[in-house]
Amino acid sequence: SQQGEEDPQALSIQEGENATMNCSYKTSINNLQWYRQNSGRGLVHLILIRSNEREKHSGRLRVTLDTSKKSSSLLITASRAADTASYFCATSYSGNTGKLIFGQGTTLQVKP
Amino acid sequence: ETGVTQTPRHLVMGMTNKKSLKCEQHLGHNAMYWYKQSAKKPLELMFVYNFKEQTENNSVPSRFSPECPNSSHLFLHLHTLQPEDSALYLCASSHVGRGGASTGELFFGEGSRLTVL
C-alpha cells in the first residue's frame, strides 16, 4: 500500500499542551499534506510541505518532513478544545496525476 | 464554506433503489474527485476527473457510476447497492496543470452520509 500511516491512532491531551502526530509513507513524494476533519464533516486542508522542504509553519501548526526516513510530523502548540478533530496526512506521489493517498488518521481529543 | 457543495447531506436507500449524489464546486477548479470514508478505514479514492475526463477508476464496483458533465459538477449514480456501501461519500476539487499534475490542496465538500438498508 502507498498510503501514509499515522501514529498514534488516538491522542488525548489537556488544553494548553502540545500535540504531536506522525506520518510515515512508502515511496517518493511530490508533497505531503495535512488535513483536519471534525466529526461527520468534510476535510479541511491545513498545510502542504513539498519534498524539497524540511519544515513549515502556519500559526500554531508546525510540520516537518524527513524524506530520508519517509516521515512527517504535525505539531499543534498550545492546543485548544476546538482543536479536537481527526487529523490526516496525505501524500502526492511522484509521477502521479493529482490524486492524494490518505492515511487512517489520528483522533485528537483536547480536554478543557 | 469551502466552495464545494454536496447534496444530499444524508441519504437512506434500499438495496433496489436508484439514487444520485451531487457535487458542485464554485472555485474554478478543473479536477474533481469522489472519496469513500468508511468507519475505521482510510479514505478510499474512487474516481478522478481531470478536465471532465475520467483519469482514475480505483477498481470501484459498477453499481457506482460517476458522471462529470462539466468541470463544476460531479455526480455519483447509485444502484443496487449493498449494506457495506454505507459510508460518508466525499467530493473534492483541485486545480491541476495541463499535464495532469495537481498544484496542491484538495477542497472537500461536507459529504453525503449514505445508509443502505
Side-chain angles (χ1 to χ4, degrees):
Chain A
S1 167
Q2 293 178 320
Q3 65 200 31
E5 296 181 1
E6 284 95 337
D7 167 58
Q9 289 190 345
L11 181 60
S12 181
I13 59 174
Q14 293 294 135
E15 210 165 24
E17 294 179 339
N18 295 342
T20 300
M21 289 160 264
N22 303 296
C23 170
S24 61
Y25 57 91
K26 296 185 179 179
T27 61
S28 296
I29 60 171
N30 292 323
N31 65 65
L32 185 145
Q33 304 177 34
W34 286 90
Y35 287 78
R36 167 198 167 121
Q37 183 181 34
N38 285 50
S39 180
R41 306 291 295 274
L43 279 75
V44 176
H45 180 265
L46 294 177
I47 197 165
L48 179 154
I49 186 165
R50 302 191 189 285
S51 59
N52 61 353
E53 297 176 311
R54 292 296 168 258
E55 187 170 314
K56 208 160 182 181
H57 297 255
S58 177
R60 293 183 295 113
L61 307 181
R62 173 180 167 243
V63 168
T64 62
L65 179 65
D66 187 335
T67 52
S68 66
K69 295 181 179 178
K70 293 186 170 57
S71 67
S72 173
S73 67
L74 170 67
L75 169 67
I76 304 174
T77 59
S79 64
R80 305 166 181 168
D83 295 328
T84 295
S86 293
Y87 293 83
F88 297 88
C89 70
T91 45
S92 172
Y93 286 90
S94 302
N96 204 308
T97 53
K99 67 181 183 182
L100 291 182
I101 306 298
F102 285 80
Q104 287 192 295
T106 293
T107 299
L108 172 66
Q109 182 185 29
V110 181
K111 299 175 184 176
Chain B
E1 288 295 327
T2 63
V4 180
T5 303
Q6 289 188 242
T7 55
R9 291 292 311 278
H10 301 272
L11 178 62
V12 179
M13 59 187 290
M15 290 192 286
T16 58
N17 291 159
K18 289 185 180 180
K19 297 285 184 183
S20 296
L21 307 181
K22 178 183 176 182
C23 178
E24 182 174 1
Q25 58 97 0
H26 309 276
L27 301 168
H29 290 160
N30 49 22
M32 297 188 77
Y33 311 77
W34 279 116
Y35 279 88
K36 175 184 178 182
Q37 187 177 34
S38 305
K40 302 191 184 302
K41 293 176 70 175
L43 269 76
E44 300 172 58
L45 178 64
M46 300 176 71
F47 302 103
V48 180
Y49 279 83
N50 287 349
F51 302 99
K52 301 187 299 178
E53 299 297 323
Q54 188 181 119
T55 58
E56 185 89 20
N57 177 338
N58 203 21
S59 302
V60 180
S62 59
R63 57 187 184 269
F64 295 91
S65 175
E67 179 189 1
C68 188
N70 55 60
S71 294
S72 299
H73 293 86
L74 184 65
F75 295 89
L76 188 63
H77 303 299
L78 316 169
H79 62 98
T80 59
L81 294 190
Q82 305 298 313
E84 60 264 29
D85 297 322
S86 298
L88 182 67
Y89 289 84
L90 292 161
C91 172
S93 70
S94 74
H95 182 75
V96 296
R98 277 291 167 183
S102 174
T103 55
E105 66 187 277
L106 295 183
F107 290 77
F108 282 86
E110 296 283 25
S112 294
R113 172 70 63 185
L114 173 66
T115 302
V116 182
L117 302 176

